[in-house]
Amino acid sequence: MTIWEWLEKRARRKKQDSKQDKPIPDSYMQEEDTAPISPDLDENIHFIRGVLGVSEDLILRRFHIFGQISAVVFYYCNMVDEDSINLEILKPLMNPPSQLKGKKVPLEGLKEILLYDTIYHSKSSFEGRRKQIVEGLLRGGTIVLIEGLQEAVMIETKQVERRAIQQPETEQVIRGPREGFIEQLSINISLLRYRLPTTDFRVKSLVLGRLTKSKVAVCYLKGIANEALVKEVEARLSVIQLDGILDAGYLEQFIEDNHYSPFPQVQNTERTDKAVANLLEGRVIILVDGSPFALIVPTVFNQFYQTTEDYSERFLLVSFIRLFRLLALAFSLVTPSLYVAIIAFNPELIPTEFAVAVSGGRAGVPFPSVVEVLVMEASMEVLREATLRLPQQIGGALSIVGVLVIGQAAVSAGFVSPITVVVIALTTIGSFATPAYNAALALRLLRFPLIILAGMFGLYGVMVGLILIANHLLSLKSFGIPYLSPVVPGNFQGMKDTVARGPLWSMVKRPMMLHPQNDDRLGSKVKEKLDQEPDNTLDPLKVGNQREGARHGISSSDHGDSGSGDTH
């Protein structure tokens, strides 16, 4: 056999091996999709033990229904309320109802007797498919198998430890609600229903993850959210085939429009009031069982520098704060690269006195400005990451002491100039002003290519970099909506809630970019009331006249009657 024949044979064998079906995780889901359970109790026990294996927390308890019919109960002891199983399931099943004492229970009518006269638990049903029985057991349910019946009793007894509802640590506000989502999906949906007691609130459920089988809820307001948007969200979620969905961030990476953009196209939040506010605008909320974060779609850029308390304060103050927040965002992106460009290429742009101070501070620094800034930026990123990963008691001390000690030591050693330390410090502080962590992370990432372009081409490089970033932002879309809406394309009504926030009573329409089915945000009576002059009930002049009339025993009606009598 020649070498070529051997290589051809090996390639053919590899091709055949690749065509062979690989084992699918959780293969019983495909094999037992529609298979019914057997009327033979021992065969069903053998099946469940074969699928689930031997586990310490899997409880099998044999007993006799009404002392007559053999049965067995299965449950995972760490996922259920065992008191509920003992009192609401086993006790009534083992003790017949008063009308059946001393009588033989026929197998044909046993199903109705158990469902309507015996089991106390409200969430109980009969199921005849093996797949559904195993799934219910794995989710914390209790399964009762009965000799002679081809259906099993499924009872919802899930009880998993959960943390209390607390204020979100990532989105703290001065004025606003103090409750946030937790890991349990049912609790998160109840928090939304608590704030939306309306028949229009809709929840559609999906199960994603071949092994985790995570429940995903798509929430929206019927009559407000565009139906095409809801269908698109469901379509993108339904095609996800992954072994495990452990957090909402897994879904975010699958459903975004541009997977290679540093800018987030899906917003996440831990705040229930923020999720409800977006539902009222016509957006869709995605919740994942096991994740305390909700996903908001679609998303535009201006949502990432807005906070929930922007709508709790008066609009003049909020507009002022938003402006400075946006300036800090631009400042953190551009300042290091502008500093490098001016120092390395255009020092004539600096005032003479300041140029002398800068040159004096840079005397003795062995590195060019671009290397100096890159090293300091990388050091700050490492320090920031170390602060996040350390325990809370140590992390706070490191963030302060690390900046002071490292910065002062670097200046004293001659590695960097004092002005560089000031620029990097201001840039870092500016990045903290961005409320959304993922948006701030994108800006931190883009600083590095801008610094490199500034070191190579000066101000021309900075401008080219900013043009590329702006062009990329203009090309982005989130579920078909332009990322820079409502600025580009322009919409006057939507611009009332961008850099500046207009009064709440002036924002009468929902965002038109979402194409809501009902775009009226304010009722007609509110609009009529706003158009009228305010009724100054407690005006000092009016109150004084009323008191003067009361002192003389004259009412307002008396004044009116006397006036009419004089005219006659």
Side-chain angles (χ1 to χ4, degrees), residues 2 50 63 109 118 211 215 245 250 262 310-311 318 369 392 425 439:
T2 63
F63 66 100
T118 307
L211 295 178
K215 285 187 177 181
I245 305 295
Y250 285 57
D310 287 356
Y311 302 91
V318 169
S369 59
Q392 188 175 2

Side-chain angles (χ1 to χ4, degrees), residues 507-537:
M507 294 187 288
V508 297
K509 299 292 185 181
R510 293 187 174 90
M512 295 304 299
M513 58 190 174
L514 299 174
H515 302 286
Q517 298 185 46
N518 180 2
D519 60 352
D520 288 329
R521 183 178 285 173
L522 291 180
S524 57
K525 292 184 179 180
V526 178
K527 297 177 184 178
E528 294 174 3
K529 184 65 177 176
L530 291 172
D531 293 336
Q532 298 174 2
E533 290 293 329
D535 186 9
N536 298 319
T537 307

Side-chain angles (χ1 to χ4, degrees), residues 128-347:
R129 290 176 294 173
R130 287 181 171 182
K131 172 185 174 182
Q132 300 299 326
I133 290 173
V134 175
E135 279 189 354
L137 192 58
L138 291 171
R139 291 189 180 279
T142 298
I143 306 299
V144 179
L145 297 169
I146 304 169
E147 179 70 44
L149 281 186
Q150 283 192 286
E151 289 182 287
V153 185
M154 291 182 58
I155 305 123
E156 178 62 48
T157 55
K158 181 179 179 181
Q159 186 182 47
V160 181
E161 292 296 328
R162 60 176 182 267
R163 64 183 176 95
I165 298 174
Q166 300 172 343
Q167 180 178 0
E169 296 184 0
T170 57
E171 297 176 271
Q172 296 188 5
V173 296
I174 298 174
R175 182 176 179 179
R178 296 293 192 270
E179 60 184 15
F181 292 117
I182 61 174
E183 283 72 17
Q184 274 65 36
L185 178 62
S186 58
I187 303 297
N188 294 339
I189 294 176
S190 69
L191 290 174
L192 294 179
R193 285 203 178 275
Y194 160 70
R195 291 181 173 274
L196 289 170
T198 171
T199 57
D200 292 332
F201 182 59
R202 296 287 189 273
V203 180
K204 294 187 177 181
S205 298
L206 297 89
V207 177
L208 300 178
R210 293 185 294 184
L211 295 178
T212 59
K213 300 178 184 64
S214 304
K215 285 187 177 181
V216 178
V218 178
C219 309
Y220 65 98
L221 285 176
K222 184 177 177 61
I224 295 180
N226 193 296
E227 291 293 338
L229 172 63
V230 178
K231 292 180 180 178
E232 178 64 19
V233 172
E234 293 181 21
R236 295 192 187 188
L237 290 174
S238 61
V239 298
I240 299 175
Q241 293 185 359
L242 194 64
D243 285 347
I245 305 295
L246 305 179
D247 184 73
Y250 285 57
L251 301 181
E252 178 181 349
Q253 299 174 59
F254 279 94
I255 64 176
E256 59 187 0
D257 291 51
N258 190 329
H259 302 287
Y260 300 101
S261 173
F263 293 97
Q265 298 134 62
V266 177
Q267 191 179 20
N268 62 76
T269 182
E270 285 186 274
R271 301 191 61 86
T272 58
D273 56 333
K274 188 173 183 178
V276 171
N278 283 276
L279 285 173
L280 293 173
E281 288 187 344
R283 292 184 172 86
V284 175
I285 303 296
I286 303 172
L287 298 171
V288 180
D289 195 10
S291 174
F293 287 89
L295 301 182
I296 303 172
V297 293
T299 301
V300 293
F301 180 73
N302 63 14
Q303 291 179 243
F304 292 105
Y305 61 83
Q306 298 174 358
T307 63
T308 54
E309 59 187 340
D310 287 356
Y311 302 91
S312 302
E313 296 288 352
R314 298 172 64 244
F315 71 96
L316 287 175
L317 306 177
V318 169
S319 300
F320 180 76
I321 295 172
R322 271 193 188 178
L323 178 61
F324 276 95
R325 200 181 292 150
L326 192 59
L327 289 175
L329 183 147
F331 188 82
S332 64
L333 175 66
V334 178
T335 302
S337 55
L338 284 179
Y339 169 73
V340 170
I342 291 174
I343 292 298
F345 290 89
N346 302 97

Side-chain angles (χ1 to χ4, degrees), residues 57 76-80 159-160:
D57 59 340
Y76 282 101
C77 61
N78 296 326
M79 297 181 66
V80 300
Q159 186 182 47
V160 181

Side-chain angles (χ1 to χ4, degrees), residues 545-560 562:
N545 293 335
Q546 292 173 3
R547 288 181 177 177
E548 189 67 24
R551 186 183 307 167
H552 294 287
I554 303 173
S555 64
S556 58
S557 59
D558 294 336
H559 285 291
S562 60

